[in-house]
Amino acid sequence: MYFFKELESILETKIPQEKFARFEKFYAEFLKSSCVFEDDFTPKEFTKPSYEGFCHIVAPQNVPKRSNLTTKEGQINLLHAVAHIEYSAVDLALDAAYRFQGLPKEYYADWLRVAEDEVRHFLMIETLLKELGASYGDVAVHNALFEASQKTAGNFVERMAVVPRYLEANGLDATPMILKKLKKLPKNEMLEKIVHSLEIILDEEVEHVRKGDVWFKYGCQKQGLKEDIYFEIIQKYYPRGFLRPNDLNIQARKEAGFSCSELKSMAKKDVC
């Protein structure tokens, strides 16, 4: 099985269950060291997200709100937003392994393992959606994560900075706030299931960000870049990127590899 060619086919697969089945087979071959890494492979530039055919894409500000989480509609909107993040994260992890070549095998092992986690997260959230009578694709979504992968397609260091070390790291900040809100609501079985699922995702996402941190620093070292180029990269793509310093999950970010000096810059105060 050819590594990059098969990843390309998986990334282009439009039906989620088919995508996951193909990935599972491919990943098993990878773990058996049965994949051949092609020389001089040229990756495609994807112009449309794989979910375009079954999701209605709107601007981020037009995605339905999930303010009232005591209602079925609010819970569906929340779960759908999480499912979309996890589905997008599957493609992002696969694309990280597909797009950048000539790296240590450990790099590819890391991002395929992340993809496996993201598939499991998506299926876990999809199960809850189905319990509420909904499916992935029922609620409008935005394509900000896909756009981030497009913008950083030609630059390894920027990809590692933007996707795992910025966008996924933001999830480490946002999820605890959602959990806090959920835990204040009157308890019921569905809310408890949502809390449990989000706690699993939060715990495992720390490791995903840490993998991004490792390979961001690897890229900086290989290219002779100072690691504080991170802030220049984020400013380039997200000029308003660190405007909510009080929401930072300091402990999770430290576990994921962020230095005290970085966290101090983000929080605009000494936090270590």
Side-chain angles (χ1 to χ4, degrees):
M1 182 178 287
Y2 288 102
F3 184 86
F4 297 115
K5 182 179 179 180
E6 185 60 25
L7 271 179
E8 182 172 281
S9 296
I10 295 169
L11 280 161
E12 291 183 321
T13 301
K14 306 297 184 184
I15 301 171
Q17 295 303 327
E18 183 180 337
K19 180 193 291 281
F20 300 157
R22 292 191 67 171
F23 169 69
E24 183 179 3
K25 181 180 178 181
F26 167 77
Y27 190 43
E29 293 298 310
F30 174 82
L31 291 176
K32 291 189 295 185
S33 299
S34 299
C35 292
V36 176
F37 285 78
E38 307 95 308
D39 295 327
D40 301 321
F41 182 86
T42 302
K44 287 186 178 180
E45 293 185 14
F46 299 117
T47 59
K48 298 178 181 180
S50 66
Y51 50 80
E52 183 189 50
F54 53 86
C55 286
H56 176 53
I57 301 170
V58 299
Q61 63 269 24
N62 294 329
V63 173
K65 306 301 180 187
R66 63 255 190 188
S67 53
N68 190 351
L69 295 175
T70 61
T71 67
K72 181 178 177 179
E73 180 183 12
Q75 292 168 11
I76 288 173
N77 287 344
L78 170 63
L79 287 170
H80 197 280
V82 176
H84 183 58
I85 290 170
E86 299 304 319
Y87 190 80
S88 299
V90 173
D91 278 350
L92 286 169
L94 294 175
D95 191 77
Y98 164 75
R99 190 153 305 280
F100 302 104
Q101 295 153 49
L103 292 158
K105 187 177 180 181
E106 290 78 9
Y107 170 81
Y108 303 103
D110 274 351
W111 292 112
L112 294 182
R113 172 61 188 273
V114 169
E116 182 189 44
D117 287 347
E118 305 293 17
V119 169
R120 180 165 42 80
H121 294 170
F122 173 83
L123 293 174
M124 180 171 59
I125 297 301
E126 184 186 46
T127 297
L128 298 184
L129 273 175
K130 288 180 177 178
E131 286 188 32
L132 291 170
S135 299
Y136 180 47
D138 287 352
V139 180
V141 301
H142 63 76
N143 63 355
L145 293 177
F146 174 73
E147 289 177 346
S149 70
Q150 286 182 302
K151 293 173 183 175
T152 60
N155 189 304
F156 176 75
V157 169
E158 288 192 352
R159 172 64 68 87
M160 293 297 106
V162 167
V163 174
R165 231 175 167 261
Y166 178 69
L167 295 173
E168 289 197 67
N170 285 348
L172 303 182
D173 306 329
T175 303
M177 292 187 288
I178 297 171
L179 285 168
K180 184 177 180 180
K181 186 174 182 179
L182 287 168
K183 290 176 180 179
K184 288 182 178 179
L185 299 176
K187 289 186 177 181
N188 63 51
E189 185 179 359
M190 177 51 67
L191 285 178
E192 289 180 359
K193 288 180 179 179
I194 294 173
V195 166
H196 177 67
S197 297
L198 291 181
E199 287 177 337
I200 291 173
I201 290 172
L202 175 61
D203 181 60
E204 295 184 357
E205 291 292 343
V206 173
E207 179 63 17
H208 299 175
V209 178
R210 191 194 69 79
K211 284 177 167 55
D213 178 76
V214 167
W215 294 109
F216 167 74
K217 291 172 179 174
Y218 171 91
C220 287
Q221 182 181 29
K222 284 291 183 180
Q223 296 182 33
L225 301 171
K226 293 183 178 179
E227 291 174 11
D228 60 8
I229 197 174
Y230 173 74
F231 289 99
E232 294 179 30
I233 294 169
I234 301 309
Q235 179 67 23
K236 174 182 174 181
Y237 293 111
Y238 304 97
R240 299 173 61 84
F242 297 112
L243 293 182
R244 301 182 67 178
N246 293 330
D247 295 337
L248 292 174
N249 186 340
I250 300 299
Q251 184 57 40
R253 283 177 175 266
K254 285 175 68 176
E255 291 176 14
F258 284 87
S259 68
C260 285
S261 62
E262 286 179 309
L263 293 170
K264 182 177 181 180
S265 295
M266 293 177 202
K268 299 177 174 57
K269 62 183 178 181
D270 192 357
V271 291
C272 292

